[in-house]
Amino acid sequence: MSAAAPATAAATAVEACGIEKSFRGIRALRGVSLRVAKGEARALVGANGAGKSTLINVICGAVQPDAGSLQVDGRTVAIRSPRTAIELGIATVHQHDQLVPNLTVAQNVELGDERSARGVGWLTRGARRARAALELVGLEGRADQTVEGMSLAHRQLVSIARAVSRDPHLLILDEPTAALTPLEAGYLMEVIGRLRERGTSLLYVTHRLQELAEIVDWITVMRDGEVVAERSPAVAEADLVELIAGEGVAVHDQQLAAERRRLAGVTGGTKLLRTAGLVDAHGAFRDIDLEVRTGEVLGVAGLPDSGASELLEAIAGARKVAAGTISLDGRALRSRSPRAAARDGIGYLAGDRARRGVVPNSDVAETVALSALPRHSRGGFLRRRQIAVSTRRRMEECKVDPAVARAPITTLSGGNQQKALFARVLANDPRVVVCEDPTAGIDVAGRESIYDLVARLCESGGAVIWAASDLRELVTICDRVVVLWRGTVVAELTREGLDESSLVRAQFNQGGEQK
Amino acid sequence: MSAVAESRPPGLGAAGAEDPSAARTLRERLRAAFGGPESLVFVVLLILAGALSLASSNFATEFNLQNVGRQTSALAVLCVGVLFVLLVGGIDLSIAGVIGLAAVIAARLAASMSPAEAFLIAVLAATAVGVVNGGLVAVCGLSPIVVTLAMGQALLGVALLLSPNGPIIVDNPGYGDLAASKIGPVPTLVVAALVCLVLGHLLLRRFSLGRYIYSVGGNEQAAWLAGVPTRPVKLTAYAIGGTFAGVAGILLSSRTGSGEATLGSTIMLSAYAAAFIGGVGFGTGRGTVVGVALGAVVLGVISNGIDLLGLNGDWQYIVSGGLIIFAIGFQRAAAQLGWGRG
Ligand SMILES: Nc1ncnc2c1ncn2[C@@H]1O[C@H](COP(=O)(O)OP(=O)(O)OP(=O)(O)O)[C@@H](O)[C@H]1O
Ligand SMILES: [Mg+2]
């Protein structure tokens, strides 16, 4: 994967010139120009709301630009709908998965692909191409399962399989790894490698900057709707972060968040939350004994089917358990529902932002205030002033721009939606935060502020149960990580033995400290 | 990442992590074949038929079964049209009007041309109504309930104006043949209905149009991004809905031997009842031709049974209303049992 050689630099896969796009007065793109050469892999990075997804939507025909032009293979084209883009050989995996829930995995992969149908549209049996693509991402066993109820990571892989099955000239991936564990990310890297050998160009959006070096040839940095820099992947991470944020951001990467808290003498308090013999009503996990102390961040890791996200759901009262108890401060929690859990001081942030986080018809302020409404009302009557004050404070803490308070939540960029959801959890002043991939899609600066908020919660005697697919993040933030495999805890790693490779091994129940 | 690739144990991909044993795939296959709402309706139908054969010696006779078939055929055809519209997340309340219009047009034209030609023109008119409905909903983005309600109202007026002297009695002797004749022991009406059912089934299952229809109902935005031409697909669904309503209209009209503007007034609700009994979801993109056909037959058997038992015919509406709630309640319970990701 050498950098684009001068000979190929002449040929253009796709080029956007002076693209402008405004949404009700907000200028999301201010004359953006971007070129991806044939066979080149280009990364697109930038802070939340920089306009990356909007630019991608323009290229894939989902959004019509106000001004500017697009060229594909050297010809100027008007991409009026996603279909046009697909016909031009542009395949896109969107930031929020775009699958049809009532169709099977294989049907979703074939959807919209004329080559799976003959003549008048008679569907051919077999669907070999779909299966081959699913094999690439390790999902061939699920081809006939409906997409409904599949984990976010698996749905993401299905989207990738669909894009790949179309033999695109240009593959666009908008944060494809946000929900993937290293295993699945490994699949993705293999797929990308294979496509690149065939000369497919790649446009890749991510906030995990450390991924870039092994994938891309060039990095384009966007800020506030403009392209501000182009760099080679050899650029130092700190410089890249500064380019993205536009100012000096304090990235305390050298000092792990967990270490910082330990130095401050926060961890190792009294017992706060305990589960004993927890068994899921639907068999997703069994015999879970956990203990979280005040000031502690407990990590939970596992493959998508390990039961990790179901366990978090159960602790947060969103899932029935068949047996076992959950106790807070030594008191067993009786009535179990998310609402009861919230009253007890457990805040929950589900992993699947688009489907289980955002309430689509509400605005940002309503989103942030939703969980805390019982605290701010008397007899059901809302105290609006109090809500406004508290909401505003939470939004500032979580780096949500107060100017968007009245904007519909769905018009925010993916990362900014996630920040608002984190603010919603904090707005209820929880003692224990139970969260799954809480920083998914959030830029470097936003992630730092969330780490700080977590530190503050721990300092004030709270605790966090944090499940993440991004193992590097678990290593950064957690004091202790339990690893689930097929529904049981197979390993517990404390600070001393905590690093990415032992977490990966433990996820497959290989080695690690058996429990 | 290379560490990851090395550490991937053989056969333990993301998919295999859960234990893909042979027994489970068999179970999954059985569930795929019999786990849907259709099997529930089928069981209900068997129980009903069994109970009626016990209760009345007249039920399981050739004559009576032919009768049930004749009574149910128009409903079954109408249901298929309703299914297409429900699958794209819409609703068509104009079908009562379409039925009346098709019947009146066919009856008027039968005076001056062959019944076959009259039927064809009537059905084309119904298709045109469907296209207009679809255009207003899919292209102009109007609410389907409002558009089709208004359309149904307007069509009723048109049909009444076309039959100023009340129902048109057709004296062309070939007109009633469709309803009266048989192919072997099977009434022609039943054959016609079966042809429509098979056609609907093939369209939904074997053509990309069908896949597109399901995808639009499941998640329109996602389908659009995947390259599905969502607007034409929706428009086509409404056009098909109108066409099948037109066919149902001429089947009914042939049975009564007349063209009556209000011919479709009660059958529309029955069609939606049959669809919901047959497991069609409202705005979920779920449902099959098999399901709605079974739903239609269940309703046909119920009304036949009420006749045979000598009850007041109006009981059928109460029974079918109760059955809808039972059916969706049962489906909900089944869905809850399968809750979770396991
Ligand atoms: N449909 C819309 N309506 C209104 N505003 C929108 C819409 N889509 C995007 N925006 C705005 O455009 C800007 C750019 O958003 P975009 O989604 O492109 O950001 P992004 O770079 O992808 O960020 P992230 O990293 O968080 O995904 C944001 O300010 C967002 O609020
Ligand atoms: Mg984005």
Side-chain angles (χ1 to χ4, degrees):
Chain A
M1 281 174 218
S2 59
T8 56
T12 304
V14 69
E15 181 164 7
C17 297
I19 302 286
E20 302 253 354
K21 180 70 196 177
S22 300
F23 297 102
R24 273 178 254 135
I26 303 166
R27 290 183 70 194
L29 298 177
R30 309 161 183 243
V32 173
S33 298
L34 175 94
R35 176 171 175 277
V36 183
K38 278 226 170 89
E40 179 190 61
R42 183 172 285 269
L44 190 56
V45 299
N48 293 134
K52 305 178 297 293
S53 298
T54 307
L55 180 60
I56 283 173
N57 281 333
V58 167
I59 297 176
C60 80
V63 159
Q64 295 304 314
D66 301 333
S69 67
L70 285 170
Q71 286 188 9
V72 175
D73 286 335
R75 281 180 302 122
T76 303
V77 289
I79 302 183
R80 296 243 174 275
S81 77
R83 200 176 176 83
T84 324
I86 291 165
E87 281 161 6
L88 288 168
I90 301 172
T92 313
V93 175
H94 291 272
Q95 185 170 16
H96 298 125
D97 86 292
Q98 293 292 349
L99 298 177
V100 178
N102 55 341
L103 297 186
T104 67
V105 168
Q107 287 170 345
N108 263 291
V109 171
E110 291 165 21
L111 188 64
D113 188 351
E114 294 313 312
R115 286 167 300 180
S116 64
R118 241 191 259 138
V120 284
W122 180 263
L123 291 175
T124 48
R125 280 183 178 277
R128 255 183 302 121
R129 291 156 46 82
R131 255 158 243 271
L134 286 169
E135 236 161 74
L136 285 181
V137 296
L139 281 183
E140 66 277 12
R142 295 182 184 241
D144 295 321
Q145 197 178 326
T146 51
V147 163
E148 180 111 82
M150 278 178 94
S151 70
L152 180 62
H154 283 160
R155 280 184 282 133
Q156 191 72 34
L157 289 173
V158 175
S159 306
I160 291 167
R162 167 157 79 199
V164 169
S165 77
R166 289 176 162 158
D167 283 332
H169 301 312
L170 172 68
L171 176 65
I172 303 178
L173 300 168
D174 195 350
E175 291 189 50
T177 51
L180 302 189
T181 62
L183 166 79
E184 297 138 338
Y187 278 126
L188 178 63
M189 297 312 145
E190 270 176 43
V191 170
I192 288 176
R194 243 179 270 190
L195 286 175
R196 297 214 51 204
E197 279 164 26
R198 282 195 253 158
T200 307
S201 319
L202 183 70
L203 186 59
Y204 189 94
V205 175
T206 189
H207 290 292
R208 296 190 188 173
L209 301 179
Q210 63 279 5
E211 287 175 350
L212 294 178
E214 70 180 281
I215 305 176
V216 301
D217 307 320
W218 278 104
I219 301 173
T220 297
V221 184
M222 281 184 77
R223 195 194 312 147
D224 296 330
E226 280 168 314
V227 170
V228 292
E230 287 200 10
R231 290 289 183 273
S232 97
V235 63
E237 193 169 320
D239 296 342
L240 201 53
V241 168
E242 195 166 325
L243 278 173
I244 289 170
E247 69 209 31
V249 195
V251 181
H252 325 279
D253 215 34
Q254 302 82 348
Q255 200 180 15
L256 299 175
E259 298 295 342
R260 267 182 277 154
R261 264 177 294 121
R262 194 157 41 175
L263 288 178
V266 171
T267 53
T270 54
K271 283 178 200 168
L272 184 56
L273 184 126
R274 253 193 84 196
T275 72
L278 214 55
V279 179
D280 181 44
H282 297 276
F285 56 81
R286 58 196 176 279
D287 308 328
I288 305 284
D289 300 309
L290 293 180
E291 200 182 274
V292 191
R293 294 174 166 270
T294 55
E296 192 178 33
V297 179
L298 174 69
V300 180
L303 298 174
D305 284 328
S306 62
S309 45
E310 288 84 353
L311 173 62
L312 262 64
E313 247 181 291
I315 293 174
R319 196 179 167 92
K320 267 198 203 123
V321 291
T325 55
I326 301 171
S327 45
L328 194 67
D329 279 334
R331 192 173 53 86
L333 302 180
R334 296 235 166 275
S335 70
R336 300 296 291 149
S337 70
R339 188 179 174 83
R343 215 168 343 180
D344 293 328
I346 300 177
Y348 177 49
L349 178 54
D352 193 344
R353 163 172 72 236
R355 294 207 319 172
R356 296 168 29 95
V358 166
V359 181
N361 54 354
S362 49
D363 67 28
V364 176
E366 285 164 357
T367 301
V368 174
L370 185 62
S371 296
L373 288 184
R375 317 162 57 91
H376 296 307
S377 61
R378 180 165 287 165
F381 186 76
L382 295 179
R383 299 160 158 181
R384 307 241 318 257
R385 178 92 48 82
Q386 197 179 329
I387 294 177
V389 170
S390 140
T391 305
R392 197 185 168 85
R393 198 180 92 223
R394 298 303 175 181
M395 285 171 63
E396 274 163 11
E397 278 177 2
C398 294
K399 302 276 184 290
V400 183
D401 180 5
V404 299
R406 287 287 154 226
I409 181 81
T410 46
T411 64
L412 257 59
S413 80
N416 286 332
Q417 289 179 21
Q418 186 72 18
K419 291 176 191 165
L421 291 180
F422 199 81
R424 173 165 89 192
V425 174
L426 292 187
N428 201 24
D429 281 335
R431 293 191 62 200
V432 181
V433 169
V434 179
C435 52
E436 197 182 346
D437 277 330
T439 60
I442 293 185
D443 56 25
V444 181
R447 221 151 37 195
E448 287 297 321
S449 59
I450 284 189
Y451 295 164
D452 287 341
L453 287 168
V454 164
R456 219 185 309 154
L457 180 72
C458 289
E459 278 159 25
S460 59
V464 177
I465 301 180
W466 182 305
S469 48
D470 185 354
L471 299 182
R472 184 185 157 114
E473 180 167 81
L474 283 183
V475 173
T476 311
I477 190 127
C478 296
D479 303 298
R480 195 154 55 90
V481 178
V482 294
V483 182
L484 269 73
W485 184 74
R486 295 194 182 176
T488 53
V489 175
V490 292
E492 178 171 339
L493 303 169
T494 49
R495 241 357 298 171
E496 290 69 45
L498 189 57
D499 57 55
E500 267 180 85
S501 57
S502 43
L503 275 177
V504 170
R505 271 199 305 281
Q507 283 191 332
F508 292 104
N509 196 21
Q510 293 178 333
E513 296 119 86
Q514 295 287 331
K515 211 187 167 188
Chain B
M1 269 333 146
S2 61
V4 177
E6 280 158 31
S7 68
R8 186 197 299 172
L12 203 129
E18 190 55 6
D19 164 35
S21 63
R24 193 175 141 170
T25 44
L26 179 65
R27 218 178 80 195
E28 272 177 4
R29 252 187 244 164
L30 285 177
R31 188 190 273 185
F34 301 107
E38 293 83 9
S39 357
L40 166 71
V41 200
F42 190 65
V43 171
V44 167
L45 180 60
L46 286 184
I47 294 173
L48 264 179
L52 278 176
S53 347
L54 290 181
S56 161
S57 56
N58 290 333
F59 177 73
T61 60
E62 185 181 342
F63 174 77
N64 186 56
L65 291 182
Q66 284 173 351
N67 210 8
V68 174
R70 281 204 191 89
Q71 280 173 355
T72 314
S73 46
L75 179 62
V77 172
L78 188 60
C79 283
V80 178
V82 162
L83 172 67
F84 274 83
V85 177
L86 285 175
L87 281 181
V88 292
I91 190 167
D92 188 350
L93 297 180
S94 71
I95 51 179
V98 171
I99 288 174
L101 180 75
V104 169
I105 289 180
R108 272 186 75 132
L109 292 179
S112 56
M113 56 179 77
S114 77
E117 288 168 330
F119 288 155
L120 183 67
I121 293 174
V123 171
L124 288 179
T127 309
V129 172
V131 170
V132 174
N133 279 334
L136 289 173
V137 171
V139 182
C140 309
L142 304 184
S143 148
I145 288 199
V146 179
V147 163
T148 57
L149 191 70
M151 177 63 78
Q153 188 83 347
L155 291 181
L156 179 65
V158 173
L160 285 170
L161 286 175
L162 285 176
S163 54
N165 306 321
I168 303 168
I169 310 297
V170 183
D171 42 16
N172 186 333
Y175 197 82
D177 270 359
L178 179 60
S181 64
K182 282 191 271 185
I183 300 176
V186 188
T188 313
L189 278 181
V190 175
V191 175
L194 284 177
V195 169
C196 289
L197 291 173
V198 170
L199 201 67
H201 183 79
L202 289 180
L203 274 176
L204 285 179
R205 287 282 140 161
R206 284 266 153 265
F207 284 84
S208 48
L209 173 68
R211 195 64 64 70
Y212 287 173
I213 283 175
Y214 280 108
S215 70
V216 168
N219 183 342
E220 189 175 341
Q221 168 81 2
W224 182 66
L225 287 173
V228 173
T230 47
R231 282 178 180 178
V233 166
K234 272 166 100 177
L235 196 151
T236 312
Y238 279 90
I240 292 174
T243 308
F244 279 113
V247 173
I250 60 168
L251 296 185
L252 283 174
S253 169
S254 167
R255 272 188 80 206
T256 57
S258 67
E260 193 180 346
T262 56
L263 192 60
S265 54
T266 57
I267 197 175
M268 176 166 90
L269 288 183
S270 298
Y272 279 97
F276 292 134
I277 290 172
V280 181
F282 196 77
T284 60
R286 277 173 217 283
T288 59
V289 169
V290 177
V292 294
L294 285 170
V297 176
V298 164
L299 288 190
V301 168
I302 287 176
S303 88
N304 177 256
I306 283 166
D307 280 350
L308 290 180
L309 298 179
L311 293 172
N312 183 332
D314 295 339
W315 274 99
Q316 62 174 311
Y317 301 116
I318 296 174
V319 174
S320 63
L323 198 59
I324 295 176
I325 293 176
F326 168 76
I328 56 174
F330 192 90
Q331 280 157 24
R332 172 105 194 105
Q336 291 240 295
L337 284 179
W339 189 61
R341 293 181 190 155

